Amino acid sequence: MSLATAVRIAPPAYAQVDEERHAVLRRQIHRLARRRKALILAHNYQLPEVQDVAHFVGDSLGLALEAQQDPRQTIVFCGVHFMAESAKILNQEKRVLLPSLAAGCSLSDSITAESLEEWKCRYPDHVVVTYINSSAEVKALSDICCTSANAVSVIRSLPDKKILFTPDRNLGRWVARQFPEKEIVIYDGCCPTHDVLRGADVASGRRGHPEAVVVAHPECREDVLELADEVCSTTGMVAAVERHPEAKTFIIATEWGLVHQLKKRFPDKEFIVADGCIGCRLHCPYMKMNDLDSIARSLQEDVFEIQVDPDIASRARLTLERMMAVPRDR
Ligand code: CIZ
């Protein structure tokens, strides 16, 4: 019996929601947010109940823009640490709170400032493009950032032919294939949640749903991307569904949290997580560390405030601002 089948028989904890308790917490969070004039932002990979309590849900680029545009001075950032840090870097005068300090990111941790320094010494003529899933220190040592929503446009915007792409090797390879004229050296990091998925999983999903459109995130491995009809960021996936009005079923190769947004926006369509079940392998434990209890506590006790060294912040800010001047990929 496959893992997916086993979990379908015994639904994971995420499926067992205490609606009454959630309703009480939701009211408490909205009351506290109003009193504190706080903006609640949630990433597309957050728990469904966290997405539902937020003022705005999106990808890291959308959340960064929202954090800048909204006049509220306190931001409760329901995402992982590097995202809250980016919001702080772009809004140094605002108070940015992360409900769970344990919400890290393995991909971001796969590159340190020291390892990037060493790479830069090995490739002194290369421009450094760093995925937003990285620490403030790593961003500060880079030339420009990108997200999965604008990686292709960022590389296209650079006149330089020699590029160091850090830290995600799958995204790096996918982008590099689109620029054969450039020499793109790719760092060997990955997102374990996406990297665990295999082409065989997608092929098996396709056998069960031959009519389905396969939409994959570029953090997935090459064998997965080869089978995809669309490769895009989480926000790009919403647009991808719109591009296929005739399709009824979609196989989604990314963290399962996004399926909540897709189901809300397209209630008539069926979305199948590419590993066959909700909360199995395409599950980021860090993204799921913020819950309604920790958001209420964050607003009540003013925790956990994100601080970034001002010198690092001002250098990292430049790389984020250069990125934000580039439009999203289609
Ligand atoms: O940039 C982001 O928000 C991430 C990590 C994924 C995506 O595609 O939205």
Side-chain angles (χ1 to χ4, degrees):
M1 185 193 291
S2 74
L3 176 63
T5 316
V7 177
R8 249 187 247 122
I9 291 166
Y14 319 103
Q16 293 149 14
V17 165
D18 181 345
E19 277 302 343
E20 240 170 80
R21 193 160 172 277
H22 279 187
V24 172
L25 279 165
R26 258 197 312 271
R27 282 196 294 276
Q28 185 188 4
I29 288 167
H30 284 144
R31 210 171 36 245
L32 286 165
R34 264 195 310 277
R35 193 181 311 149
R36 294 214 40 197
K37 296 192 177 55
L39 169 69
I40 304 174
L41 297 177
H43 189 268
N44 285 324
Y45 295 155
Q46 292 288 289
L47 286 167
E49 62 268 27
V50 171
Q51 297 185 30
D52 289 346
V53 89
H55 297 118
F56 182 85
V57 182
D59 62 6
S60 58
L61 181 57
L63 296 173
L65 289 167
E66 194 64 22
Q68 270 195 323
Q69 284 158 11
D70 196 279
R72 283 170 273 205
Q73 293 300 301
T74 299
I75 299 169
V76 179
F77 204 108
C78 305
V80 291
H81 190 272
F82 77 83
M83 295 180 178
E85 200 176 54
S86 299
K88 179 67 186 175
I89 290 167
L90 291 166
N91 298 277
Q92 286 173 58
E93 71 298 348
K94 295 188 184 176
R95 197 171 189 75
V96 177
L97 304 173
L98 181 64
S100 169
L101 255 195
C105 169
S106 312
L107 173 56
S108 170
D109 289 347
S110 71
I111 184 161
T112 60
E114 293 70 31
S115 50
L116 181 52
E117 296 265 31
E118 199 236 313
W119 264 55
K120 285 175 64 161
C121 290
R122 277 161 58 192
Y123 299 97
D125 303 334
H126 289 57
V127 166
V128 180
V129 178
T130 291
Y131 193 32
I132 194 159
N133 299 44
S134 53
S135 66
E137 289 80 3
V138 166
K139 288 185 179 79
L141 288 169
S142 306
D143 295 295
I144 185 167
C145 282
C146 72
T147 74
S148 43
N150 61 16
V152 171
S153 304
V154 164
I155 301 287
R156 187 177 296 118
S157 75
L158 298 171
D160 314 73
K161 287 253 179 299
K162 293 183 173 186
I163 291 165
L164 260 186
F165 189 94
T166 75
D168 190 288
R169 62 176 182 240
N170 294 333
L171 175 65
R173 284 178 196 149
W174 177 71
V175 173
R177 273 207 306 276
Q178 302 180 51
F179 296 95
E181 71 284 9
K182 300 208 184 212
E183 179 199 317
I184 304 184
V185 179
I186 299 162
Y187 190 84
D188 193 18
C190 71
C191 160
T193 301
H194 285 91
D195 199 63
V196 79
L197 190 71
R198 294 292 185 272
D201 299 308
V202 176
S204 139
R206 257 236 158 103
R207 274 195 298 279
H209 303 273
E211 74 299 349
V213 174
V214 177
V215 187
H217 194 277
E219 287 176 25
C220 291
R221 295 164 71 101
E222 209 164 356
D223 57 340
V224 170
L225 300 184
E226 269 165 13
L227 295 175
D229 300 298
E230 300 269 1
V231 177
C232 37
S233 68
T234 55
T235 300
M237 287 184 180
V238 175
V241 173
E242 277 162 359
R243 277 197 294 278
H244 295 270
E246 75 300 339
K248 290 267 175 292
T249 307
F250 293 81
I251 294 175
I252 303 295
T254 196
E255 213 280 347
W256 67 268
L258 178 73
V259 168
H260 181 63
Q261 277 307 304
L262 293 173
K263 281 184 176 160
K264 276 175 88 167
R265 288 173 197 233
F266 308 100
D268 300 337
K269 311 243 181 218
E270 183 189 16
F271 297 99
I272 298 164
V273 187
D275 64 352
C277 80
I278 292 276
C280 295
R281 281 173 294 155
L282 284 165
H283 168 81
C284 173
Y286 296 112
M287 279 286 180
K288 303 297 189 272
M289 283 180 175
N290 303 306
D291 56 15
L292 295 184
D293 290 289
S294 59
I295 297 169
R297 181 165 74 131
S298 179
L299 283 159
Q300 239 155 8
E301 298 176 18
D302 213 25
V303 289
F304 294 92
E305 190 178 358
I306 300 296
Q307 305 277 10
V308 185
D309 172 88
D311 174 51
I312 290 172
S314 68
R315 286 185 285 136
R317 186 184 170 103
L318 269 184
T319 65
L320 285 168
E321 283 177 346
R322 283 186 196 128
M323 168 189 87
M324 286 161 92
V326 176
R328 278 182 185 270
D329 299 341
R330 71 168 179 156

